[in-house]
Amino acid sequence: MAAKTIMKRIAIAALSAVILQGVTPLDSLNVYASENTGASYTALDLYTYIQDQCSTEYTLTEKAETFLEEHDDLFPASTELVIPIDAELDFRHINKNPSRYGDKLMRISDAYVIQVQEEEIEEGHYLTWLNLIDGEEQQYSVYYNGELDDVFEDDTVEVTGLPLGTSSFENTEGGDTLVVVLAGCRVNNID
């Protein structure tokens, strides 16, 4: 219980920094819906578009582009599908060199939901953005192609996703906070 309280305090500081930017990560996605339809875009199309349109800007790595193109069925993944993950892959690896790991899925366990936003990108189709912090105080920005009906702020989740790259934002202390950006395959509420 003490760990969750500590994570909440850290999360409040992180949320303050995000709010200071004045832009939420999904603010410009309504344009995407007018340019594309669900039948015509792939995971690669969506995550390529998001990289320049949302406030959590990132550069999609070549390996991530290839992986998204070859594994469109994983974004999102059905519950029956077995997802191969690299159990050793973590924030430190992506931070050190994002271009090396865009072809491997990773899992984040026990991540605290600082902020969650859901945007309808076309009629009946949603994109969900999660701002997460883990027990090591590392932050993640997760874009999930769909709805997450049982995930809310202050929840604890487990996420399986593809590292797309890194981003950063100015924090309340005047420095920059590094964020690993993931394409979500699966997000489970574990509260």
Side-chain angles (χ1 to χ4, degrees):
M1 194 61 121
K4 191 165 184 175
T5 302
I6 292 169
M7 285 176 61
K8 279 186 180 184
R9 287 184 184 146
I10 294 166
I12 289 168
L15 179 57
S16 298
V18 171
I19 291 170
L20 286 175
Q21 293 182 45
V23 178
T24 58
L26 300 183
D27 277 348
S28 62
L29 279 180
N30 55 353
V31 175
Y32 192 74
S34 65
E35 297 172 356
N36 299 279
T37 65
S40 66
Y41 69 82
T42 64
L44 177 59
D45 294 335
L46 180 63
Y47 292 110
T48 299
Y49 181 81
I50 291 172
Q51 76 179 332
D52 297 324
Q53 299 303 317
C54 296
S55 64
T56 313
E57 292 182 11
Y58 59 91
T59 301
L60 196 60
T61 66
E62 286 183 42
K63 285 186 176 188
E65 286 180 10
T66 301
F67 191 92
L68 288 165
E69 186 172 45
E70 293 174 357
H71 301 282
D72 191 60
D73 62 326
L74 293 178
F75 304 97
S78 67
T79 55
E80 303 82 36
L81 192 59
V82 175
I83 302 174
I85 63 161
D86 182 337
E88 301 297 316
L89 186 58
D90 65 22
F91 186 95
R92 297 170 302 157
H93 296 98
I94 310 306
N95 180 30
K96 183 177 176 182
N97 187 352
S99 64
R100 284 187 58 198
Y101 302 102
D103 60 348
K104 300 175 183 177
L105 297 173
M106 65 186 291
R107 179 166 292 139
I108 306 163
S109 301
D110 296 326
Y112 179 79
V113 180
I114 300 169
Q115 190 176 12
V116 61
Q117 183 182 4
E118 185 178 86
E119 181 77 27
E120 189 171 26
I121 58 175
E122 66 178 15
E123 189 173 332
H125 188 91
Y126 293 84
L127 181 71
T128 304
W129 169 76
L130 299 156
N131 181 8
L132 305 175
I133 190 164
D134 67 13
E136 303 294 318
E137 300 181 19
Q138 306 300 333
Q139 292 202 24
Y140 300 87
S141 188
V142 179
Y143 292 97
Y144 180 83
N145 187 11
E147 296 173 74
L148 295 170
D149 292 332
D150 66 339
V151 175
F152 301 95
E153 288 180 16
D154 298 326
D155 284 346
T156 303
V157 294
E158 178 181 81
V159 175
T160 302
L162 179 70
L164 301 175
T166 58
S167 186
S168 65
F169 60 85
E170 187 176 335
N171 59 41
T172 55
E173 297 171 0
D176 286 331
T177 298
L178 182 68
V179 178
V180 168
V181 181
L182 297 175
C185 295
R186 208 174 270 154
V187 178
N188 298 313
N189 189 330
I190 58 174
D191 271 342

Short mmCIF file of all heavy atoms in Angstrom, two decimals, residues 2-18 91 106-116 129-142 151-159 169 171-173 176-182 187-188 190-191:
data_model
loop_
_atom_site.label_atom_id
_atom_site.label_comp_id
_atom_site.label_asym_id
_atom_site.label_seq_id
_atom_site.Cartn_x
_atom_site.Cartn_y
_atom_site.Cartn_z
N ALA A 2 1.98 1.22 0.71
CA ALA A 2 2.87 2.38 0.76
C ALA A 2 3.45 2.69 -0.61
O ALA A 2 3.61 3.85 -0.97
CB ALA A 2 3.98 2.15 1.77
N ALA A 3 3.76 1.67 -1.38
CA ALA A 3 4.31 1.87 -2.72
C ALA A 3 3.30 2.60 -3.61
O ALA A 3 3.67 3.48 -4.38
CB ALA A 3 4.71 0.54 -3.34
N LYS A 4 2.03 2.25 -3.50
CA LYS A 4 1.01 2.90 -4.31
C LYS A 4 0.86 4.37 -3.91
O LYS A 4 0.69 5.24 -4.75
CB LYS A 4 -0.32 2.17 -4.19
CG LYS A 4 -1.32 2.66 -5.21
CD LYS A 4 -2.49 1.74 -5.35
CE LYS A 4 -3.40 2.24 -6.44
NZ LYS A 4 -4.50 1.36 -6.72
N THR A 5 0.96 4.68 -2.62
CA THR A 5 0.89 6.06 -2.14
C THR A 5 2.05 6.87 -2.70
O THR A 5 1.87 8.00 -3.14
CB THR A 5 0.90 6.10 -0.60
OG1 THR A 5 -0.21 5.34 -0.13
CG2 THR A 5 0.80 7.51 -0.09
N ILE A 6 3.24 6.30 -2.69
CA ILE A 6 4.42 6.97 -3.24
C ILE A 6 4.23 7.21 -4.73
O ILE A 6 4.50 8.30 -5.24
CB ILE A 6 5.70 6.16 -2.97
CG1 ILE A 6 6.00 6.17 -1.47
CG2 ILE A 6 6.88 6.71 -3.76
CD1 ILE A 6 7.07 5.20 -1.04
N MET A 7 3.72 6.20 -5.44
CA MET A 7 3.48 6.35 -6.88
C MET A 7 2.46 7.45 -7.14
O MET A 7 2.59 8.21 -8.09
CB MET A 7 3.04 5.02 -7.49
CG MET A 7 4.20 4.05 -7.64
SD MET A 7 3.74 2.41 -8.25
CE MET A 7 3.06 2.78 -9.84
N LYS A 8 1.43 7.58 -6.29
CA LYS A 8 0.44 8.64 -6.47
C LYS A 8 1.07 10.01 -6.31
O LYS A 8 0.78 10.92 -7.08
CB LYS A 8 -0.70 8.48 -5.46
CG LYS A 8 -1.73 7.47 -5.86
CD LYS A 8 -2.89 7.47 -4.90
CE LYS A 8 -3.92 6.45 -5.32
NZ LYS A 8 -5.11 6.47 -4.47
N ARG A 9 1.95 10.17 -5.33
CA ARG A 9 2.61 11.47 -5.13
C ARG A 9 3.48 11.82 -6.32
O ARG A 9 3.49 12.96 -6.78
CB ARG A 9 3.45 11.43 -3.84
CG ARG A 9 2.61 11.45 -2.60
CD ARG A 9 3.45 11.53 -1.36
NE ARG A 9 2.59 11.44 -0.21
CZ ARG A 9 2.93 10.86 0.91
NH1 ARG A 9 4.12 10.33 1.06
NH2 ARG A 9 2.10 10.82 1.92
N ILE A 10 4.21 10.87 -6.82
CA ILE A 10 5.05 11.10 -7.99
C ILE A 10 4.17 11.43 -9.20
O ILE A 10 4.46 12.32 -9.97
CB ILE A 10 5.93 9.86 -8.28
CG1 ILE A 10 6.93 9.67 -7.15
CG2 ILE A 10 6.64 10.00 -9.62
CD1 ILE A 10 7.62 8.32 -7.16
N ALA A 11 3.07 10.71 -9.30
CA ALA A 11 2.16 10.91 -10.42
C ALA A 11 1.55 12.31 -10.41
O ALA A 11 1.36 12.93 -11.45
CB ALA A 11 1.05 9.87 -10.40
N ILE A 12 1.23 12.84 -9.24
CA ILE A 12 0.66 14.18 -9.16
C ILE A 12 1.65 15.20 -9.69
O ILE A 12 1.29 16.10 -10.44
CB ILE A 12 0.25 14.49 -7.71
CG1 ILE A 12 -0.99 13.65 -7.35
CG2 ILE A 12 -0.05 15.97 -7.52
CD1 ILE A 12 -1.34 13.65 -5.88
N ALA A 13 2.92 15.04 -9.35
CA ALA A 13 3.95 15.95 -9.87
C ALA A 13 4.06 15.82 -11.38
O ALA A 13 4.17 16.81 -12.10
CB ALA A 13 5.29 15.66 -9.21
N ALA A 14 4.00 14.61 -11.88
CA ALA A 14 4.09 14.38 -13.32
C ALA A 14 2.89 14.95 -14.04
O ALA A 14 3.01 15.56 -15.09
CB ALA A 14 4.22 12.88 -13.61
N LEU A 15 1.70 14.79 -13.47
CA LEU A 15 0.49 15.31 -14.08
C LEU A 15 0.54 16.83 -14.14
O LEU A 15 0.15 17.44 -15.13
CB LEU A 15 -0.74 14.86 -13.30
CG LEU A 15 -2.09 15.35 -13.82
CD1 LEU A 15 -2.29 14.94 -15.27
CD2 LEU A 15 -3.21 14.80 -12.96
N SER A 16 1.05 17.46 -13.11
CA SER A 16 1.19 18.92 -13.10
C SER A 16 2.05 19.37 -14.28
O SER A 16 1.75 20.36 -14.93
CB SER A 16 1.84 19.40 -11.81
OG SER A 16 1.03 19.07 -10.71
N ALA A 17 3.10 18.64 -14.56
CA ALA A 17 3.97 18.99 -15.68
C ALA A 17 3.26 18.84 -17.01
O ALA A 17 3.41 19.66 -17.90
CB ALA A 17 5.22 18.12 -15.66
N VAL A 18 2.45 17.80 -17.15
CA VAL A 18 1.70 17.59 -18.39
C VAL A 18 0.67 18.70 -18.58
O VAL A 18 0.52 19.25 -19.65
CB VAL A 18 1.02 16.20 -18.39
CG1 VAL A 18 0.08 16.06 -19.56
CG2 VAL A 18 2.07 15.11 -18.44
N PHE A 91 12.67 0.15 -19.60
CA PHE A 91 12.82 1.57 -19.89
C PHE A 91 14.27 1.94 -20.20
O PHE A 91 14.54 2.71 -21.11
CB PHE A 91 12.32 2.37 -18.67
CG PHE A 91 12.30 3.86 -18.89
CD1 PHE A 91 11.14 4.49 -19.29
CD2 PHE A 91 13.43 4.63 -18.68
CE1 PHE A 91 11.10 5.86 -19.48
CE2 PHE A 91 13.40 6.01 -18.86
CZ PHE A 91 12.24 6.62 -19.27
N MET A 106 7.39 -5.33 -25.16
CA MET A 106 7.77 -5.30 -23.76
C MET A 106 6.54 -5.27 -22.88
O MET A 106 5.45 -4.96 -23.34
CB MET A 106 8.67 -4.10 -23.46
CG MET A 106 8.01 -2.75 -23.65
SD MET A 106 9.15 -1.33 -23.47
CE MET A 106 9.52 -1.40 -21.73
N ARG A 107 6.73 -5.62 -21.61
CA ARG A 107 5.63 -5.58 -20.66
C ARG A 107 6.00 -4.66 -19.51
O ARG A 107 7.11 -4.71 -19.00
CB ARG A 107 5.32 -6.97 -20.12
CG ARG A 107 4.17 -6.94 -19.10
CD ARG A 107 3.61 -8.30 -18.78
NE ARG A 107 2.92 -8.81 -19.97
CZ ARG A 107 3.01 -10.08 -20.38
NH1 ARG A 107 3.73 -10.95 -19.73
NH2 ARG A 107 2.36 -10.47 -21.45
N ILE A 108 5.05 -3.83 -19.12
CA ILE A 108 5.19 -2.95 -17.96
C ILE A 108 4.18 -3.45 -16.93
O ILE A 108 2.98 -3.46 -17.20
CB ILE A 108 4.89 -1.49 -18.30
CG1 ILE A 108 5.71 -1.02 -19.48
CG2 ILE A 108 5.12 -0.60 -17.08
CD1 ILE A 108 5.18 0.24 -20.11
N SER A 109 4.68 -3.90 -15.80
CA SER A 109 3.80 -4.40 -14.75
C SER A 109 3.61 -3.32 -13.69
O SER A 109 4.51 -2.52 -13.44
CB SER A 109 4.40 -5.64 -14.10
OG SER A 109 4.59 -6.65 -15.06
N ASP A 110 2.47 -3.31 -13.07
CA ASP A 110 2.19 -2.40 -11.96
C ASP A 110 2.47 -0.94 -12.29
O ASP A 110 3.16 -0.25 -11.55
CB ASP A 110 3.00 -2.80 -10.71
CG ASP A 110 2.59 -4.16 -10.18
OD1 ASP A 110 1.40 -4.50 -10.29
OD2 ASP A 110 3.45 -4.87 -9.65
N ALA A 111 1.95 -0.47 -13.38
CA ALA A 111 2.10 0.95 -13.75
C ALA A 111 0.88 1.72 -13.26
O ALA A 111 -0.26 1.28 -13.42
CB ALA A 111 2.27 1.09 -15.24
N TYR A 112 1.14 2.86 -12.68
CA TYR A 112 0.09 3.72 -12.15
C TYR A 112 -0.41 4.65 -13.25
O TYR A 112 0.39 5.27 -13.96
CB TYR A 112 0.66 4.53 -10.97
CG TYR A 112 -0.32 5.47 -10.35
CD1 TYR A 112 -1.29 5.02 -9.46
CD2 TYR A 112 -0.28 6.83 -10.64
CE1 TYR A 112 -2.19 5.90 -8.88
CE2 TYR A 112 -1.17 7.72 -10.07
CZ TYR A 112 -2.12 7.24 -9.19
OH TYR A 112 -3.01 8.12 -8.63
N VAL A 113 -1.72 4.76 -13.40
CA VAL A 113 -2.32 5.61 -14.43
C VAL A 113 -2.41 7.04 -13.90
O VAL A 113 -3.23 7.35 -13.04
CB VAL A 113 -3.71 5.10 -14.87
CG1 VAL A 113 -4.29 6.02 -15.94
CG2 VAL A 113 -3.64 3.67 -15.35
N ILE A 114 -1.55 7.91 -14.42
CA ILE A 114 -1.56 9.31 -14.06
C ILE A 114 -2.73 10.01 -14.75
O ILE A 114 -3.46 10.79 -14.16
CB ILE A 114 -0.25 10.01 -14.47
CG1 ILE A 114 0.94 9.36 -13.78
CG2 ILE A 114 -0.31 11.50 -14.19
CD1 ILE A 114 2.28 9.80 -14.34
N GLN A 115 -2.88 9.70 -16.02
CA GLN A 115 -3.89 10.37 -16.84
C GLN A 115 -4.31 9.41 -17.94
O GLN A 115 -3.50 8.64 -18.46
CB GLN A 115 -3.26 11.62 -17.43
CG GLN A 115 -4.18 12.57 -18.10
CD GLN A 115 -3.45 13.83 -18.56
OE1 GLN A 115 -2.23 13.88 -18.58
NE2 GLN A 115 -4.19 14.85 -18.93
N VAL A 116 -5.58 9.46 -18.30
CA VAL A 116 -6.10 8.67 -19.41
C VAL A 116 -7.06 9.54 -20.20
O VAL A 116 -7.82 10.32 -19.64
CB VAL A 116 -6.77 7.35 -18.93
CG1 VAL A 116 -7.95 7.63 -18.02
CG2 VAL A 116 -7.18 6.48 -20.09
N TRP A 129 -5.22 7.17 -24.91
CA TRP A 129 -3.87 7.56 -24.51
C TRP A 129 -3.75 7.43 -23.00
O TRP A 129 -4.64 7.83 -22.26
CB TRP A 129 -3.58 9.01 -24.91
CG TRP A 129 -2.33 9.54 -24.30
CD1 TRP A 129 -1.06 9.27 -24.68
CD2 TRP A 129 -2.23 10.45 -23.20
NE1 TRP A 129 -0.16 9.95 -23.88
CE2 TRP A 129 -0.87 10.68 -22.96
CE3 TRP A 129 -3.17 11.08 -22.39
CZ2 TRP A 129 -0.42 11.52 -21.94
CZ3 TRP A 129 -2.72 11.92 -21.38
CH2 TRP A 129 -1.35 12.13 -21.17
N LEU A 130 -2.65 6.82 -22.54
CA LEU A 130 -2.37 6.65 -21.13
C LEU A 130 -1.03 7.28 -20.79
O LEU A 130 -0.04 7.05 -21.49
CB LEU A 130 -2.29 5.16 -20.77
CG LEU A 130 -3.54 4.34 -21.00
CD1 LEU A 130 -3.17 2.88 -21.16
CD2 LEU A 130 -4.50 4.52 -19.85
N ASN A 131 -0.99 8.04 -19.72
CA ASN A 131 0.25 8.57 -19.16
C ASN A 131 0.50 7.73 -17.90
O ASN A 131 -0.30 7.76 -16.96
CB ASN A 131 0.09 10.05 -18.81
CG ASN A 131 1.34 10.66 -18.24
OD1 ASN A 131 2.40 10.06 -18.20
ND2 ASN A 131 1.21 11.89 -17.77
N LEU A 132 1.57 6.94 -17.91
CA LEU A 132 1.84 5.97 -16.84
C LEU A 132 3.17 6.24 -16.16
O LEU A 132 4.09 6.78 -16.78
CB LEU A 132 1.89 4.55 -17.42
CG LEU A 132 0.70 4.07 -18.22
CD1 LEU A 132 1.01 2.69 -18.81
CD2 LEU A 132 -0.55 4.02 -17.37
N ILE A 133 3.27 5.78 -14.92
CA ILE A 133 4.54 5.80 -14.20
C ILE A 133 4.68 4.45 -13.50
O ILE A 133 3.71 3.93 -12.94
CB ILE A 133 4.62 6.98 -13.21
CG1 ILE A 133 6.02 7.14 -12.67
CG2 ILE A 133 3.59 6.86 -12.10
CD1 ILE A 133 6.27 8.48 -12.00
N ASP A 134 5.88 3.88 -13.58
CA ASP A 134 6.09 2.58 -12.95
C ASP A 134 6.74 2.74 -11.57
O ASP A 134 7.02 3.85 -11.12
CB ASP A 134 6.89 1.65 -13.86
CG ASP A 134 8.33 2.07 -14.08
OD1 ASP A 134 8.84 2.96 -13.36
OD2 ASP A 134 8.97 1.51 -14.98
N GLY A 135 7.02 1.64 -10.92
CA GLY A 135 7.61 1.65 -9.59
C GLY A 135 9.02 2.20 -9.54
O GLY A 135 9.52 2.55 -8.48
N GLU A 136 9.67 2.30 -10.69
CA GLU A 136 11.02 2.87 -10.78
C GLU A 136 10.98 4.35 -11.13
O GLU A 136 12.00 4.94 -11.45
CB GLU A 136 11.84 2.11 -11.84
CG GLU A 136 11.95 0.62 -11.61
CD GLU A 136 12.73 0.29 -10.36
OE1 GLU A 136 13.77 0.94 -10.11
OE2 GLU A 136 12.29 -0.61 -9.62
N GLU A 137 9.77 4.92 -11.12
CA GLU A 137 9.53 6.33 -11.44
C GLU A 137 9.81 6.67 -12.91
O GLU A 137 10.09 7.80 -13.27
CB GLU A 137 10.33 7.26 -10.52
CG GLU A 137 9.99 7.09 -9.06
CD GLU A 137 10.76 8.02 -8.15
OE1 GLU A 137 11.30 9.04 -8.62
OE2 GLU A 137 10.81 7.72 -6.95
N GLN A 138 9.73 5.67 -13.77
CA GLN A 138 9.89 5.87 -15.21
C GLN A 138 8.51 6.13 -15.81
O GLN A 138 7.53 5.50 -15.41
CB GLN A 138 10.52 4.64 -15.88
CG GLN A 138 11.82 4.20 -15.25
CD GLN A 138 12.90 5.27 -15.28
OE1 GLN A 138 12.92 6.12 -16.14
NE2 GLN A 138 13.79 5.23 -14.30
N GLN A 139 8.45 7.01 -16.79
CA GLN A 139 7.17 7.38 -17.38
C GLN A 139 7.01 6.84 -18.79
O GLN A 139 7.98 6.75 -19.56
CB GLN A 139 7.00 8.89 -17.38
CG GLN A 139 6.85 9.40 -15.95
CD GLN A 139 6.17 10.73 -15.89
OE1 GLN A 139 5.43 11.12 -16.78
NE2 GLN A 139 6.42 11.45 -14.82
N TYR A 140 5.76 6.54 -19.11
CA TYR A 140 5.40 5.97 -20.41
C TYR A 140 4.18 6.71 -20.96
O TYR A 140 3.29 7.09 -20.22
CB TYR A 140 5.04 4.49 -20.28
CG TYR A 140 6.17 3.65 -19.73
CD1 TYR A 140 6.34 3.51 -18.36
CD2 TYR A 140 7.06 3.01 -20.57
CE1 TYR A 140 7.38 2.75 -17.84
CE2 TYR A 140 8.10 2.25 -20.06
CZ TYR A 140 8.25 2.12 -18.70
OH TYR A 140 9.28 1.37 -18.20
N SER A 141 4.17 6.86 -22.26
CA SER A 141 3.02 7.38 -22.97
C SER A 141 2.55 6.26 -23.89
O SER A 141 3.28 5.85 -24.79
CB SER A 141 3.44 8.61 -23.78
OG SER A 141 2.33 9.25 -24.34
N VAL A 142 1.36 5.73 -23.62
CA VAL A 142 0.86 4.56 -24.36
C VAL A 142 -0.33 4.97 -25.21
O VAL A 142 -1.29 5.58 -24.71
CB VAL A 142 0.45 3.43 -23.39
CG1 VAL A 142 -0.10 2.24 -24.16
CG2 VAL A 142 1.61 3.02 -22.49
N VAL A 151 -10.35 1.07 -17.51
CA VAL A 151 -9.13 1.73 -17.08
C VAL A 151 -9.40 3.22 -16.85
O VAL A 151 -9.91 3.91 -17.74
CB VAL A 151 -8.00 1.56 -18.12
CG1 VAL A 151 -6.76 2.34 -17.73
CG2 VAL A 151 -7.67 0.07 -18.29
N PHE A 152 -9.04 3.69 -15.65
CA PHE A 152 -9.28 5.07 -15.26
C PHE A 152 -8.07 5.63 -14.54
O PHE A 152 -7.17 4.88 -14.14
CB PHE A 152 -10.51 5.15 -14.33
CG PHE A 152 -11.76 4.61 -14.96
CD1 PHE A 152 -12.14 3.29 -14.74
CD2 PHE A 152 -12.53 5.40 -15.79
CE1 PHE A 152 -13.28 2.78 -15.35
CE2 PHE A 152 -13.68 4.90 -16.39
CZ PHE A 152 -14.05 3.59 -16.17
N GLU A 153 -8.05 6.96 -14.34
CA GLU A 153 -6.99 7.58 -13.56
C GLU A 153 -6.94 6.94 -12.18
O GLU A 153 -7.97 6.54 -11.63
CB GLU A 153 -7.23 9.08 -13.41
CG GLU A 153 -6.99 9.83 -14.70
CD GLU A 153 -7.23 11.33 -14.58
OE1 GLU A 153 -7.28 11.86 -13.45
OE2 GLU A 153 -7.37 11.97 -15.64
N ASP A 154 -5.74 6.83 -11.63
CA ASP A 154 -5.47 6.24 -10.32
C ASP A 154 -5.54 4.72 -10.30
O ASP A 154 -5.37 4.11 -9.25
CB ASP A 154 -6.39 6.80 -9.22
CG ASP A 154 -6.21 8.29 -9.01
OD1 ASP A 154 -5.07 8.78 -9.16
OD2 ASP A 154 -7.20 8.97 -8.70
N ASP A 155 -5.80 4.08 -11.44
CA ASP A 155 -5.76 2.62 -11.51
C ASP A 155 -4.33 2.14 -11.67
O ASP A 155 -3.43 2.92 -12.00
CB ASP A 155 -6.58 2.10 -12.70
CG ASP A 155 -8.08 2.16 -12.47
OD1 ASP A 155 -8.50 2.35 -11.31
OD2 ASP A 155 -8.83 2.03 -13.46
N THR A 156 -4.14 0.85 -11.46
CA THR A 156 -2.86 0.21 -11.73
C THR A 156 -3.09 -0.76 -12.89
O THR A 156 -4.05 -1.52 -12.89
CB THR A 156 -2.35 -0.55 -10.48
OG1 THR A 156 -2.26 0.38 -9.40
CG2 THR A 156 -0.97 -1.14 -10.73
N VAL A 157 -2.20 -0.70 -13.88
CA VAL A 157 -2.37 -1.51 -15.08
C VAL A 157 -1.11 -2.29 -15.41
O VAL A 157 -0.02 -1.96 -14.95
CB VAL A 157 -2.76 -0.64 -16.30
CG1 VAL A 157 -4.13 -0.01 -16.11
CG2 VAL A 157 -1.71 0.40 -16.59
N GLU A 158 -1.31 -3.31 -16.22
CA GLU A 158 -0.21 -4.04 -16.85
C GLU A 158 -0.36 -3.79 -18.34
O GLU A 158 -1.45 -3.94 -18.89
CB GLU A 158 -0.31 -5.53 -16.53
CG GLU A 158 0.78 -6.34 -17.20
CD GLU A 158 0.65 -7.82 -16.89
OE1 GLU A 158 -0.17 -8.47 -17.56
OE2 GLU A 158 1.34 -8.28 -15.97
N VAL A 159 0.75 -3.41 -18.99
CA VAL A 159 0.70 -3.06 -20.41
C VAL A 159 1.70 -3.90 -21.18
O VAL A 159 2.85 -4.07 -20.76
CB VAL A 159 1.05 -1.56 -20.60
CG1 VAL A 159 1.13 -1.21 -22.08
CG2 VAL A 159 0.05 -0.68 -19.90
N PHE A 169 9.01 16.01 -22.00
CA PHE A 169 8.24 17.22 -21.73
C PHE A 169 8.91 17.97 -20.60
O PHE A 169 9.66 17.39 -19.81
CB PHE A 169 6.78 16.90 -21.40
CG PHE A 169 6.58 16.03 -20.19
CD1 PHE A 169 6.53 16.59 -18.92
CD2 PHE A 169 6.42 14.66 -20.33
CE1 PHE A 169 6.34 15.80 -17.80
CE2 PHE A 169 6.23 13.86 -19.21
CZ PHE A 169 6.19 14.44 -17.95
N ASN A 171 9.25 19.51 -17.14
CA ASN A 171 8.61 19.23 -15.86
C ASN A 171 8.54 20.49 -15.01
O ASN A 171 9.06 21.54 -15.38
CB ASN A 171 9.31 18.08 -15.12
CG ASN A 171 10.77 18.36 -14.84
OD1 ASN A 171 11.16 19.47 -14.48
ND2 ASN A 171 11.59 17.34 -15.02
N THR A 172 7.89 20.38 -13.88
CA THR A 172 7.66 21.54 -13.01
C THR A 172 8.95 22.07 -12.37
O THR A 172 8.96 23.18 -11.87
CB THR A 172 6.65 21.21 -11.90
OG1 THR A 172 7.11 20.06 -11.18
CG2 THR A 172 5.28 20.95 -12.49
N GLU A 173 10.00 21.30 -12.40
CA GLU A 173 11.28 21.73 -11.82
C GLU A 173 12.17 22.42 -12.85
O GLU A 173 13.32 22.75 -12.57
CB GLU A 173 11.99 20.54 -11.20
CG GLU A 173 11.21 19.93 -10.05
CD GLU A 173 11.78 18.61 -9.56
OE1 GLU A 173 12.79 18.15 -10.12
OE2 GLU A 173 11.22 18.06 -8.62
N ASP A 176 13.68 18.41 -18.08
CA ASP A 176 12.90 17.59 -19.01
C ASP A 176 12.69 16.20 -18.42
O ASP A 176 13.60 15.64 -17.81
CB ASP A 176 13.61 17.46 -20.35
CG ASP A 176 13.54 18.73 -21.18
OD1 ASP A 176 12.56 19.48 -21.01
OD2 ASP A 176 14.46 18.98 -21.97
N THR A 177 11.52 15.66 -18.62
CA THR A 177 11.20 14.30 -18.22
C THR A 177 11.13 13.45 -19.48
O THR A 177 10.38 13.77 -20.40
CB THR A 177 9.86 14.24 -17.46
OG1 THR A 177 9.98 15.01 -16.27
CG2 THR A 177 9.49 12.81 -17.12
N LEU A 178 11.92 12.39 -19.52
CA LEU A 178 11.93 11.47 -20.66
C LEU A 178 10.75 10.51 -20.54
O LEU A 178 10.44 10.03 -19.45
CB LEU A 178 13.24 10.68 -20.70
CG LEU A 178 13.38 9.72 -21.86
CD1 LEU A 178 13.50 10.48 -23.18
CD2 LEU A 178 14.59 8.83 -21.66
N VAL A 179 10.12 10.24 -21.67
CA VAL A 179 8.97 9.34 -21.73
C VAL A 179 9.22 8.33 -22.84
O VAL A 179 9.62 8.70 -23.95
CB VAL A 179 7.68 10.14 -22.06
CG1 VAL A 179 6.49 9.22 -22.16
CG2 VAL A 179 7.44 11.21 -21.03
N VAL A 180 8.99 7.05 -22.55
CA VAL A 180 9.02 6.03 -23.59
C VAL A 180 7.61 5.93 -24.16
O VAL A 180 6.63 5.83 -23.41
CB VAL A 180 9.49 4.66 -23.03
CG1 VAL A 180 9.23 3.55 -24.03
CG2 VAL A 180 10.97 4.72 -22.68
N VAL A 181 7.51 5.99 -25.48
CA VAL A 181 6.22 5.94 -26.16
C VAL A 181 5.98 4.52 -26.67
O VAL A 181 6.86 3.94 -27.33
CB VAL A 181 6.18 6.94 -27.34
CG1 VAL A 181 4.83 6.90 -28.03
CG2 VAL A 181 6.51 8.35 -26.86
N LEU A 182 4.81 3.98 -26.33
CA LEU A 182 4.46 2.61 -26.72
C LEU A 182 3.18 2.57 -27.54
O LEU A 182 2.23 3.32 -27.27
CB LEU A 182 4.23 1.74 -25.48
CG LEU A 182 5.37 1.50 -24.52
CD1 LEU A 182 4.88 0.73 -23.31
CD2 LEU A 182 6.49 0.74 -25.20
N VAL A 187 -3.81 -3.83 -22.60
CA VAL A 187 -3.77 -3.08 -21.35
C VAL A 187 -4.78 -3.71 -20.41
O VAL A 187 -5.97 -3.78 -20.73
CB VAL A 187 -4.11 -1.58 -21.56
CG1 VAL A 187 -4.10 -0.83 -20.24
CG2 VAL A 187 -3.14 -0.94 -22.55
N ASN A 188 -4.31 -4.18 -19.25
CA ASN A 188 -5.19 -4.83 -18.28
C ASN A 188 -5.17 -4.10 -16.96
O ASN A 188 -4.09 -3.82 -16.42
CB ASN A 188 -4.76 -6.28 -18.05
CG ASN A 188 -4.84 -7.13 -19.29
OD1 ASN A 188 -5.83 -7.10 -20.00
ND2 ASN A 188 -3.78 -7.84 -19.59
N ILE A 190 -5.23 -4.06 -13.19
CA ILE A 190 -4.90 -5.08 -12.20
C ILE A 190 -5.28 -4.67 -10.78
O ILE A 190 -4.87 -5.31 -9.82
CB ILE A 190 -3.41 -5.49 -12.28
CG1 ILE A 190 -2.49 -4.30 -12.08
CG2 ILE A 190 -3.12 -6.19 -13.59
CD1 ILE A 190 -1.01 -4.66 -12.01
N ASP A 191 -6.06 -3.61 -10.65
CA ASP A 191 -6.55 -3.21 -9.32
C ASP A 191 -7.59 -4.18 -8.81
O ASP A 191 -8.36 -4.73 -9.51
CB ASP A 191 -7.17 -1.80 -9.37
CG ASP A 191 -6.11 -0.73 -9.11
OD1 ASP A 191 -5.05 -1.06 -8.58
OD2 ASP A 191 -6.39 0.42 -9.48
#
